[in-house]
Amino acid sequence: MSRTTRPARTLPGPRTPFKDRVPGGADGRRMLLVGFIDKCGTGLWSTAMALYFTYVTGLGLGQVGLLVALSGAAGIAGAPLGGRLADRFPLVRVIICAQLLRAAALLALLTTDHYLLLVLFSAAGALPDRATNVLTKLYAARVAGPERVRYQAINRTTANIGWTLGGLGAAAALAVGSTTAFQLLLVGDALSYLVMAALTLRCAEPPTPASRVAASTGTGTAPATTPPSPWRDRSFLAFTAGEGVFFLHDSILQVALPLWIVHATDAPVGLAPLLLVANSALVVLFQVPLSRFGATTDAARRLLAPLAVLFAVGTLAVCASALGGRTLAVTALITAAVALTFAEMIHTIASWEISVALAPDDAQGAYLGVHGLAQSTQRFAGPLLMTGLVSAGPFAWPFLGAALVATAAAQNRLVRRRLSGSSLSVAKVTVSEN
């Protein structure tokens, strides 16, 4: 009787669930680490920036406000400039140059207390800072392919954790309150950019959509055509304008709610930082799970309907918080913060996917750069709009909610028409294709 030889059992290797769940392979994970370090450093510096200019360089309140406003206005140009450069030069090199410029501009602040130079250096740092947002999004789109929404969700989660850690580090340094402590925070942020540049240098250049098309056709080269300009694409410009309205959720949560709590409600002042903490915690917990609802472009478009509902609930709750009584105020403000945080998460999912899908392959960087204007402009104009809204009283909030709902409806129609091909002048192959 012959004996059957059983195949040798292979022991399972070590489990690496994190590696398995992160799109983009080793380069994707490395770029996530870069984003985490970025937010750690930014959390260190941004928390103390106004105090640095006040106590170290001796600027007055009005001078600090003007400096921040001017640097923010200069930074608006960073997004389209970064996108344009990414279409012409290797993306990894452009990202490294942006990181090095951010470090140089920040360290330059240590060399002077002259107001005009401080404004110049701050503006010079705002340009690559805003460009980096577009460049990292473009890298994610290219390295993660069809899983770009999940990748960006993981990136945003790690970024929130990094920001929190940086803020805690800044709080510890600010407790000391010395000039050296402020300067160390600035140097720490600058060093984070140098570490990021070293890590990015190890990342491979991701394939461009044009190279994917060339590989699929077997020609080895992409067709020689003139890339379309986003500035002449009226439907894409309209989409970007709508995005600028949606990005107001940042200013509502970070600027309007704290001011509203103090000036218009009976809620305790200490509720304001707690709502911001809750915002970060909810993003960490739910951003990645929610990303599965926007895995395709059409699914992302359908998210605009619940987005409108969340905006309506959030703005109406803020209005209700001013109707009297501490219990009502606290309950309404918590409701508003939760609704607006989920609106923020759903909008970012839809925005990531739709903006990439609407960008032609041979001008992806330029299109995403123009799309980046939505967030950059909101960072500049949003706080001004929110302070005016708080001054206008409780019944201004329903009008804001109605504007957000109307924008969602308009965006839904625009994107549906665009995806159907009626607004496209070129054949569409998105980076989600392999």
Side-chain angles (χ1 to χ4, degrees), residues 267-289:
V269 176
L271 181 64
L274 294 179
L275 294 180
L276 293 178
V277 171
N279 170 263
S280 294
L282 289 172
V283 170
V284 171
L285 289 173
F286 292 105
Q287 185 71 79
V288 174

Side-chain angles (χ1 to χ4, degrees), residues 146-241:
E147 295 187 274
R148 58 179 178 252
V149 171
R150 178 176 174 79
Y151 181 93
Q152 283 284 49
I154 297 173
N155 182 50
R156 191 160 188 265
T157 300
T158 57
N160 270 269
I161 296 173
W163 182 281
T164 301
L165 293 176
L168 291 174
L174 292 176
V176 178
S178 66
T179 298
T180 301
F182 284 112
Q183 292 172 335
L184 286 176
L185 290 176
L186 187 153
V187 172
D189 191 17
L191 289 176
S192 73
Y193 297 141
L194 298 179
V195 173
M196 289 158 54
L199 288 172
T200 306
L201 191 62
R202 298 179 59 194
C203 292
E205 181 69 19
T208 65
S211 67
R212 292 172 188 257
V213 173
S216 65
T217 59
T219 61
T221 58
T225 58
T226 302
S229 170
W231 300 105
R232 296 173 183 159
D233 189 335
R234 286 183 293 179
S235 65
F236 190 83
L237 291 176
F239 170 74
T240 300

Side-chain angles (χ1 to χ4, degrees), residues 75-84 87 130-131 133-138 141 152 229-231 233 235-247 249 304 346-360 363-379 411 414-415 418:
I76 291 174
L81 178 61
R84 193 75 174 178
D87 280 339
R130 300 296 184 268
N133 293 333
V134 173
L135 296 172
T136 52
K137 175 181 177 180
L138 189 57
Q152 283 284 49
S229 170
W231 300 105
D233 189 335
S235 65
F236 190 83
L237 291 176
F239 170 74
T240 300
E243 287 284 274
V245 177
F246 286 155
F247 274 117
H249 55 62
L304 294 172
I346 287 178
H347 167 239
T348 50
I349 292 168
S351 177
W352 292 334
E353 173 60 26
I354 295 172
S355 60
V356 174
L358 297 187
Q364 195 179 69
Y367 268 70
L368 292 184
V370 169
H371 178 261
L373 285 173
Q375 190 168 20
S376 297
T377 303
Q378 188 283 140
R379 287 183 179 181
Q411 291 286 77
L414 186 153
V415 174
R418 179 101 177 193

